[in-house]
């Protein structure tokens, strides 16, 4: 390794650590909800912004733990990619009545002026332990970094999200490297 590369490595490491810290420490800003929504929030991130809307419905956990969980997923994206992968993304949290367990999600590109849109279904009776064990939220956010493909090539979208998700979570300390 030459001298210029050796000198640049600590600066590069510092850059990625500071980007992750900026995402991890970012605060949610409450914004006016759109028609038919219960609550809405915006999170500024290095490279972009994430808006989260809550559809009407009950969540035993409340919104605060869900927002913290989503911020952790966004922070993992920033830690892995060095920035949030799109300028503007939206997550619609849809409470699933009578259900518990891990969230379920689907992500699309270019929906209603958002470069990425994710619908995240969270069970009304989901617990903090369910969120702590969840990988789906980070997985869905990884989809924002790769363009949508034709149906016959959908495998590459899922393959990339499945590969990157645990590595991104290791970078933030949410997952131990030994588990990957």
């Amino acid at each position: 390794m030459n001298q210029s590369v050796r000198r640049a490595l600590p600066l590069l490491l510092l850059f990625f650590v500071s980007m992750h810290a900026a995402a991890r420490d970012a605060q949610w800003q409450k914004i006016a909800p759109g028609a038919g929504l219960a609550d809405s929030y915006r999170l500024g991130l290095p490279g972009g912004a994430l808006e989260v809307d809550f559809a009407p419905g009950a969540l035993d956990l409340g919104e605060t733990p869900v927002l913290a969980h989503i911020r952790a997923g966004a922070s993992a994206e920033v830690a892995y990619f060095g920035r949030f992968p799109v300028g503007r993304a939206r997550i619609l949290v849809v409470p699933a009545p009578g259900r518990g367990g891990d969230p379920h999600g689907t992500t699309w590109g270019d929906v209603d002026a958002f470069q990425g849109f994710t619908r995240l279904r969270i069970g009304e009776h989901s617990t903090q332990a369910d969120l702590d064990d969840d990988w789906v939220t980070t997985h869905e956010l990884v989809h924002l970094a790769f363009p949508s493909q034709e149906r016959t090539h959908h495998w590459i979208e899922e393959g990339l999200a499945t590969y990157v998700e645990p590595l991104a979570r290791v970078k933030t300390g949410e997952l131990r490297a030994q588990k990957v």
Side-chain angles (χ1 to χ4, degrees):
M1 187 178 322
N2 69 32
Q3 280 297 86
S4 61
V5 171
R6 283 182 197 215
R7 279 182 282 203
L9 282 177
L11 293 174
L12 190 59
L13 180 60
L14 181 62
F15 170 77
F16 281 112
V17 168
S18 67
M19 289 293 108
H20 163 62
R24 182 196 63 223
D25 298 337
Q27 298 298 310
W28 290 102
Q29 172 190 11
K30 191 166 175 91
I31 59 176
L37 297 172
D39 284 310
S40 297
Y41 299 86
R42 179 177 293 124
L43 182 67
L45 297 160
L50 178 60
E51 293 185 22
V52 174
D53 298 315
F54 285 85
L59 289 171
D60 294 349
L61 276 170
E63 294 176 353
T64 302
V66 173
L67 289 169
H69 178 66
I70 291 170
R71 182 178 53 222
S75 181
E77 297 301 294
V78 171
Y80 186 84
F81 292 111
R83 62 185 291 279
F84 196 62
V86 295
R88 190 167 179 240
R90 177 181 179 222
I91 294 178
L92 175 62
V93 176
V94 179
R99 295 194 51 216
D102 297 337
H104 298 275
T106 307
T107 298
W108 298 271
D110 295 320
V111 175
D112 294 334
F114 289 91
Q115 292 166 299
F117 173 76
T118 300
R119 181 184 58 222
L120 194 61
R121 295 177 192 265
I122 298 180
E124 171 186 9
H125 305 302
S126 292
T127 64
Q128 184 63 53
D130 293 328
L131 294 182
D132 292 344
D133 290 339
D134 173 51
W135 55 269
V136 171
T137 303
T138 303
H139 174 97
E140 290 303 324
L141 289 170
V142 171
H143 284 298
L144 301 174
F146 195 75
S148 297
Q149 301 296 306
E150 294 178 21
R151 193 161 191 68
T152 58
H153 301 295
H154 181 64
W155 62 270
I156 190 71
E157 295 178 49
E158 289 305 321
L160 179 69
T162 300
Y163 176 78
V164 170
E165 170 268 320
L167 299 177
R169 290 174 59 215
V170 164
K171 284 184 166 287
T172 62
E174 185 182 344
L175 188 65
R176 291 186 26 216
Q178 293 82 357
K179 289 190 81 177
V180 175

